[in-house]
Each structure stands twice: as C-alpha cells, then as structure tokens.
Amino acid sequence: MLDQGFIRENIELVERGAKAKGEKVDLKLFSELDQRWRRLLAQRDGLKHQRNVASKRIGELIRDGKGAGDEIAEMKGLSQRIKVLDEEVKGIEGKLREVMLSIPNLPHESVPRGGGDEDNVVVKTWGEKPSFDFPPRDHLQLGELLSLFDFSRGSKLAGSGFPLYKGLGAQLERALINFMLDLHTGKHGYLEVSPPFLANRGCMEGTGQLPKLEEDMYLCEHDDLFLIPTAEVPLTNLHRGEVLEGDRLPLKYVAYTPCFRREAGSYGKETRGFLRVHQFDKVELVKFCRPESSYQELEELLGEAEEVLRLLGLAYRVRLLCTGDLSFAASKCYDIDVWAPAEGKYLEVSSCSNYEDFQARRAGIRFREGGKVRFVHTLNGSGLATARLLVALVETYQTKEAEVLLPPPLRPYLGGRERIG
RNA sequence: GGAGGGUUAGCCUAACUGGUAAGGCAGCGGACUUGAAAUCCGCCGUCCCUUAACGGACUUGGGGGUUCGAGUCCCUCACCCUCCGCCA
C-alpha cells in the first residue's frame, strides 16, 4: 500500500507507475474520496472539540454540586450529529481503503518499461549448457529409472500435483535443503527460522496475499488458517506491528518450508512432473533494512541466491523483469532461471524482489533511528525452490547409463555418495 | 474443550463509586561543559487544518454498545498466562 499523502501529492507519478505495470486504477475516485474525507474530518473534529469542552464543563459542574441538565440535553443533539458524521467518515474510509489497496507499488526507475516477457532483460548468464553424446532423458524418465519419485502414489494420497519423493530422491531433496540452509546461515549471515506452516489472515494481509489471492491458497476453515504459499509470509510477518532498533538493521532471515499453492485454473503442459505442483519445498531469504540501502541489499540477495547454482555447477540466467511483469507489490525484481537440458528450457527457481515500504506499511513494520520512527524496506528471494532445481540437477548430471553424478558440495549431505544409480 | 487472570506509546508501570491517560526507563535535539557525566528544557504513536507556526481530532489488543462523557460498565473476537481435561 502506498501512503495516502504520497498518492495525493503525486497523482501523476502514481498513474504512470500503475499504467506501466498494466494495472487499472481509479485515481479520480481516489481524489474525490480523499477530498470529501478531509472536508468531513475537519467538520467532525470541530464538533468533537465542542463536545470535549462541554463534557469537561459538565464534569466540573457536577463535581461542584451544580445542576447540568440543560448542558446535557444540548450535548445529546451534538452527539447525534457526530454519530452521523462518524458513520459517513467511516463509509468513505472503507471505500478509500479499497481504492488504495488496488494501487500497485511503483516500479523503480531502473526497471525497464515493457509489457511482457519479451521486454524482460537478461542481465547475466552463467555456466555452460551441457551437451550430451546421447539423447538425454528428462527428469520423469530418470526419476522412474532411479526410483526417485512416485507421482501416482502422491496422487493417491492427495491428488495430482502432490509429488512424493522416495529413497535417494527423498534424500537428495533433503540434501539440497540442508546444503542451502548451511550456505545462507554460515556464509551469508542469515538467521535460520523454522516457522509455522499455517498463518492467519492478519499475516496474509500483511504481505499482500489477501485480499487478492485467496483463491490460490489452501484454507483450513475450522481455524481460519491458511497453508503458507511461501515462507515469505511467516518471515516477513515475524516483525509485523513492531518497531525495530535501527542499529540492528539489516535483519536477515532464512527458512526452509514447504509451500502450498492451489494455483486454481492452471492446467496443461506446464503442469507435468515437477514443473508446477501444489506442494514444493523452498528455502526463502527475507531481509528488513533501512530505505537507503535496500537496492544494494537486493543485489546482495540476488548474488546469494545465485551462489547456490554456481556451487552446484548449474547453468542459469538472471532476468530483470520489466514493468509489465513486475508483481503488484514489488518495485524491482530479478528472476533466476536454471537451465534444464532435457526440457530444453530455463526454469524459474527464484524471484528476488525489493518491496520498498509497500509491505512494511501494510504490516506496520518500522524502525527507530535518530528519535524518529520510519517504515523499513522489505526484500525477499528464493534461495532456492527445490522441485525445479532437482529437475535441472538430475537432467544436467545424467550419464548415458542413466546415472546421476552428484556435484561435490552435495556429497557430504548424502554420506559422501558420488552418484545416484 | 472447561475455569480464572491478563493486554495502557519502543520497554516498564499508574489512574477513587465512569469526569477526559500520571509517571519512569531507553532514544533524539538543545542548554550548560575543554570533553564527558550529572542536571535542566523540548521532542519522542496516527491523522487533519495546502506548507510552517498555532490549533484540533484520534490512540489504553480489534470491533460494537450504554452515556453529555468509557482505560473503567456491557457484548463480541483475537492473543498471552495459570489450572483442569485431552494428547505426540
């Protein structure tokens, strides 16, 4: 959410930003409501002032043993008028909030203008795409031959899109998670958190999943709790409604959690195998920092996520998303795509975003510095999502004999094993 | 699930049978000082009055009610603590 005063004073800027993102906003309605709201506020506050003064006098009269019948009768009418105005103000505030919730965060000046995928800018590619002297198998074939996954039994338990890992497949998944957690806690200085996998509505509003994405999430109705679609939710909400100490920023958290997404309405080719599932594992990085350093922090976050792929020796590219592909709440976002040789395409394994104070304002996350209280900037990025990472890993390191060689950094996590198969 | 107690500003703590939130700590700015400590003054949640000054409204976990007036009384929801029950 943007600040009401900021929108008021920067109507054109907000309009341009929303347009660049392809979001429709009604700023005319905003201005109308905002003006009416301020007018009513002045009127109502004046009456309230009268009431406060009179009430004080009534109190004094009564204490002195004098009657206050006339004054009280008069105040009754005034209170009625205040009540009417109060309701009107509340009505307008409701509408105003609705309009403001529909206004997206503004893209940062460094974000390229554009409408869609073709306007995203590849800012980096790393590693060699592997070539094979045999026809490479895709991850489904490899998984079958090596007994790493069991999609049909996963479906039996919970439906399609719920993968089941087994044997070395399950161990490999666990190894990747531990490898990434150790990297981010050890080398990059993140504090590991193991949060609840369910979160309440307040959290979902804080990070912006609600009200828009309710249909994309799993809800436990009895308790009105949502299964988290990403660890961004619990990690960012860790400090919801708090005032942080400025000299302790930036705060850096990492968590492994499963992620649950209904992704209602997405079917077809993209859903095969691990490419799009309802439950997947992810290691997530979240930072809280002061506004001045958030873009530098974003570059660092990106580098820390990239390092996972570099250490694993997997080819990847980094794309800077254009305004049209930027999510509602983000100011700037890089996607990291890993190369999956048998799929013959890049798979998105991370989005690293700076939200500036958009989430912080919604979630009430502030910091104290120099006697003042300001909103922090929040950032997050996957570091990384394992399902697609696993796809790239087994496809990249496969041999003609349908083995999978393990890159050295992973071996300690699999008891020193060098290959699967 | 049952019973009781609690939630006051960044933190801690007050407020008679309803009378309009008092203090303390920490922090920031200033005065004093060679410097520091101590002391004193101001600031230290949100919003409105176009800006500033001045002023005003709101803020005692959220929402609602009674009242001229609610931290205080009533209803409701959330969370925390204690005990009981259940349980890995």
Side-chain angles (χ1 to χ4, degrees), chain A residues 60-94:
Chain A
E60 282 161 7
L61 286 173
I62 289 174
R63 195 180 310 138
D64 295 345
K66 297 171 187 164
D70 292 350
E71 284 83 353
I72 288 177
E74 202 178 312
M75 284 303 103
K76 261 190 173 136
L78 187 62
S79 276
Q80 278 310 311
R81 279 163 65 202
I82 290 173
K83 200 167 186 174
V84 170
L85 281 175
D86 257 338
E87 263 159 44
E88 206 171 332
V89 167
K90 207 173 273 181
I92 289 176
E93 282 175 347

Side-chain angles (χ1 to χ4, degrees), chain A residues 269-302:
Chain A
K269 207 178 171 199
E270 286 293 310
T271 65
R272 98 196 189 96
F274 277 122
L275 299 191
R276 189 178 292 277
V277 288
H278 291 311
Q279 179 182 330
F280 61 95
D281 293 314
K282 181 158 63 66
V283 169
E284 181 78 3
L285 306 168
V286 166
K287 285 187 188 183
F288 303 85
C289 70
R290 51 170 65 73
E292 295 74 29
S293 61
S294 66
Y295 282 94
Q296 190 191 324
E297 296 285 352
L298 177 63
E299 298 301 319
E300 279 177 31
L301 181 66
L302 175 66

Side-chain angles (χ1 to χ4, degrees), chain A residues 242-244 249 289-293 357 360-361 364-377:
Chain A
E242 292 185 16
V243 177
L244 307 169
L249 297 177
C289 70
R290 51 170 65 73
E292 295 74 29
S293 61
D357 62 7
R361 184 172 292 107
I365 308 168
R366 297 171 295 170
F367 72 104
R368 181 179 297 275
E369 188 174 63
K372 278 190 170 176
V373 175
R374 305 160 65 196
F375 288 112
V376 298
H377 280 194

